[in-house]
Amino acid sequence: MRTLHYYTSTLIRPQCTTLVQTTKPVQKMEKMMNMPQLQSSSLSSSPPLSKKVGKRWKEYQGMNNWDGLLDPLDENLRAEILRYGHFVEAAYKSFEFDPSSPNYATCKFQKNTLFEQCGLRNTGYKVTKHLRATSGIKLPSWVATQSSYVGYVAVCNDKEEIKRLGRRDIVVAFRGTATCLEWLENLRATLTHVSVPSVATGITADPCSMDGNGAMVESGFLSLYTSAGSSKQSFTSLQDMVRKEIGRILKTYEGENLSLTITGHSLGAALATLTAYDIKNSFIRQPPVTVISFGGPRVGNPSFRRQLEETGIKLLRIVNSDDVITKVPGFVFDDVDKTDDDVACNGGAHVVQRWIRKRAEEVQWLLYSEVGKELRLCSRDSPYLRGVNIATCHDLNTYLHLVDGFVSSTCPFRATAKRFLQH
C-alpha cells in the first residue's frame, strides 16, 4: 500500500529523510511526492462541545452502530468526531519532521505540555505515554531511523469533562506515515496471519491455520505494530507499549465508568484498528472500545473483519470518496452473490467479477474486506476546495473540513461550516 501524503501544520513536502541524500531512488521518490499541502486551520474553529453527550455517550461511541446518527449527521456526533480528529492533529504536530534535528522522528514536546504546545487547550485530558512504532525491515542505523514516535495515550482527568462525557475516556491517537521505513512497510501489501492472544493468560497463541479461514492482516501494518528493536536498542514494540499502558490505566481506574477511543489518520487508522483488536483480545475486562478512523486503508481479510465484529469493537470509518488511499490495498468483493436478475441487467460484468474473486480467494493474500460503519464524504461537495488532487483528498485537514460541512446525503455541505481551509 502506498501512502501518498504526510500531514503537518505547515506547507512542507514529504521528505524521505531516513536515507542518505545522495541516493538516487530517494531523490526520485521526493520528486514524485512533491505535492502541495493545506495548512491546518485553527483548532479553535471546531464546533462548541455539547453538554448533552453524557446521557447518550454509548450511542456516540457506536453502541447501536451509529444508526440514525450519520445521515443526517448528528450535531453532537459531528463535534465528537472533530474532537478526536484534533487529537490526531496533535500527534502530527508533536512529531519532529526536521531531518537536521538531533531529535528527528521523536516527540517534540513533553507529556505535560503536548496539548498546549500543539494549540489544543482545555481538553480535560492528560498525556500519559508517548508511543513509538518500530519497523521490522532491518537496515543500518546510518541509513534509516528504525523506531519513530507515532502517537500517544491520554486520559480524561478533568471532573467537568468527565461529567460532560458521562465517563472517563481513554484516548490512543496515531499519526500517519512520516518516515521511509514506514513507507516501505506500507508497500508490503500481502496479507499475513495474525496471532490471537489469550485473554485468560495473556499468552499469544499460535498463528491461525493456513486453511484460509484464519484472520489475516496487511504484513507491513502488523510489522509496525509488533516489531521491537534489536538487542542493542531499548525500543519495545508498539504492541507491548500499548498493552502495558492500557493495562496500567485500567488498573488505576478500576471500578469507574470508562471508555477507550482509538483514533488515527492514514497509517494511523490502520494501527488504530490493530490496536483495538489486540486490546479486545488481551484483557479479560475492558471498557467499550471504539475506533474513529480518518482516511484509513484496508487492513485485513473477511475473517479478520468477522473476528473484529465478534469482539464487539465499534469502528467508524470516515472516508473521502475521492481519496485513493481508502481503496487500497488488495481487492474487496461483496459477500452476497449476484442473482439471475442482476445477471440479466449487468451482462457479463458479474462473470468477470466472479472470476477475479475466485482467483483472489485462491491466493488469499490480496483478498481484503472493509470493516466497521462508514461515513462517506466527498471533496467535490465542498465549495471551498478548488483543484483538488491526490494529496489534498487524503489530507487530515480536508477530512475535518468535510466532517464540519457535511449535513446529509441530500444536502452534502452546509453554508455555515466554520472550519475553512487555508491555502
Side-chain angles (χ1 to χ4, degrees):
M1 195 281 295
R2 293 184 61 193
T3 302
L4 297 175
H5 177 57
Y6 306 116
Y7 176 88
T8 67
S9 59
T10 57
L11 288 170
I12 182 172
R13 65 172 178 156
Q15 302 252 352
C16 208
T17 52
T18 52
L19 296 182
V20 290
Q21 293 290 329
T22 56
T23 306
K24 291 184 179 180
V26 175
Q27 295 171 345
K28 183 177 180 181
M29 178 182 289
E30 288 193 349
K31 289 180 180 179
M32 291 172 60
M33 300 311 303
N34 187 13
M35 298 176 179
Q37 279 195 308
L38 298 171
Q39 292 180 334
S40 173
S41 60
S42 171
L43 296 179
S44 63
S45 64
S46 60
L49 298 178
S50 171
K51 295 182 179 180
K52 300 179 181 179
V53 173
K55 296 180 180 179
R56 301 176 60 190
W57 73 266
K58 291 185 178 180
E59 292 182 55
Y60 295 127
Q61 290 294 106
M63 180 180 67
N64 298 322
N65 292 314
W66 296 280
D67 289 344
L69 298 177
L70 300 178
D71 193 5
L73 182 59
D74 181 271
E75 287 300 323
N76 291 332
L77 179 58
R78 182 200 312 279
E80 287 297 280
I81 293 172
L82 291 174
R83 189 170 68 88
Y84 288 115
H86 293 158
F87 284 127
V88 180
E89 277 190 308
Y92 275 113
K93 290 183 176 182
S94 55
F95 180 83
E96 180 56 82
F97 280 92
D98 184 4
S100 65
S101 170
N103 299 318
Y104 170 68
T106 65
C107 183
K108 295 189 292 185
F109 311 124
Q110 297 295 320
K111 295 192 292 288
N112 61 342
T113 63
L114 188 149
F115 288 145
E116 184 176 354
Q117 295 275 10
C118 292
L120 195 58
R121 297 177 176 84
N122 302 319
T123 64
Y125 288 69
K126 66 175 180 179
V127 176
T128 64
K129 182 73 174 180
H130 291 155
L131 299 175
R132 300 181 67 90
T134 301
S135 171
I137 300 173
K138 304 302 180 184
L139 292 176
S141 59
W142 59 270
V143 174
T145 301
Q146 198 76 25
S147 181
S148 303
Y149 165 72
V150 73
Y152 58 86
V153 181
V155 180
C156 185
N157 67 333
D158 181 79
K159 291 183 179 180
E160 289 302 315
E161 183 66 0
I162 292 173
K163 181 179 178 181
R164 187 187 75 83
L165 294 175
R167 82 283 186 191
R168 185 187 297 273
D169 188 38
I170 307 164
V171 167
V172 182
F174 294 113
R175 61 162 175 80
T177 306
T179 70
C180 273
L181 282 183
E182 291 169 358
W183 277 70
L184 293 176
E185 293 285 22
N186 288 341
L187 294 172
R188 298 170 63 185
T190 56
L191 288 160
T192 186
H193 288 272
V194 58
S195 301
V196 180
S198 169
V199 295
T201 64
I203 300 174
T204 301
D206 292 333
C208 302
S209 62
M210 300 295 288
D211 59 4
N213 294 320
M216 304 176 75
V217 297
E218 203 253 24
S219 301
F221 301 152
L222 186 63
S223 172
L224 285 170
Y225 187 67
T226 59
S227 296
S230 64
S231 57
K232 296 181 180 180
Q233 298 172 316
S234 59
F235 303 132
T236 60
S237 70
L238 174 59
Q239 180 182 51
D240 286 342
M241 283 188 283
V242 168
R243 286 183 182 179
K244 289 179 181 178
E245 183 61 12
I246 296 302
R248 184 192 67 80
I249 293 173
L250 294 180
K251 184 176 181 180
T252 300
Y253 300 107
E254 187 175 3
E256 289 193 28
N257 201 17
L258 302 174
S259 67
L260 176 58
T261 309
I262 312 171
T263 185
H265 170 249
S266 192
L267 168 64
L271 293 176
T273 303
L274 291 178
T275 299
Y277 180 78
D278 186 47
I279 289 174
K280 268 294 188 179
N281 286 290
S282 298
F283 296 93
I284 297 177
R285 297 181 183 88
Q286 72 281 117
V289 177
T290 300
V291 176
I292 307 293
S293 76
F294 300 88
R298 298 163 185 158
V299 177
N301 69 346
S303 292
F304 175 73
R305 182 197 66 195
R306 287 191 293 271
Q307 292 193 22
L308 198 73
E309 293 171 348
E310 289 171 1
T311 63
I313 294 170
K314 301 302 179 181
L315 193 152
L316 180 61
R317 289 185 301 113
I318 318 299
V319 174
N320 180 358
S321 59
D322 295 321
D323 182 3
V324 297
I325 300 304
T326 62
K327 301 175 176 64
V328 295
F331 301 97
V332 171
F333 298 96
D334 295 332
D335 291 332
V336 180
D337 290 332
K338 298 292 184 180
T339 64
D340 290 339
D341 290 339
D342 292 329
V343 173
C345 293
N346 297 322
H350 76 287
V351 177
V352 176
Q353 186 182 47
R354 283 183 177 177
W355 182 88
I356 296 175
R357 176 175 181 168
K358 185 176 181 181
R359 300 289 83 77
E361 287 176 342
E362 288 174 355
V363 296
Q364 287 296 317
W365 45 266
L366 280 177
L367 184 59
Y368 282 77
S369 182
E370 307 288 9
V371 297
K373 192 83 169 184
E374 178 181 277
L375 173 60
R376 181 164 289 273
L377 310 171
C378 182
S379 296
R380 289 165 290 176
D381 291 333
S382 170
Y384 307 106
L385 288 170
R386 294 291 183 269
V388 294
N389 53 38
I390 293 175
T392 301
C393 291
H394 187 56
D395 195 291
L396 175 61
N397 195 43
T398 297
Y399 271 86
L400 299 185
H401 169 67
L402 295 177
V403 169
D404 188 41
F406 179 77
V407 178
S408 69
S409 56
T410 57
C411 181
F413 213 88
R414 58 178 180 162
T416 56
K418 298 178 180 178
R419 190 181 180 97
F420 298 105
L421 298 174
Q422 303 173 17
H423 296 278

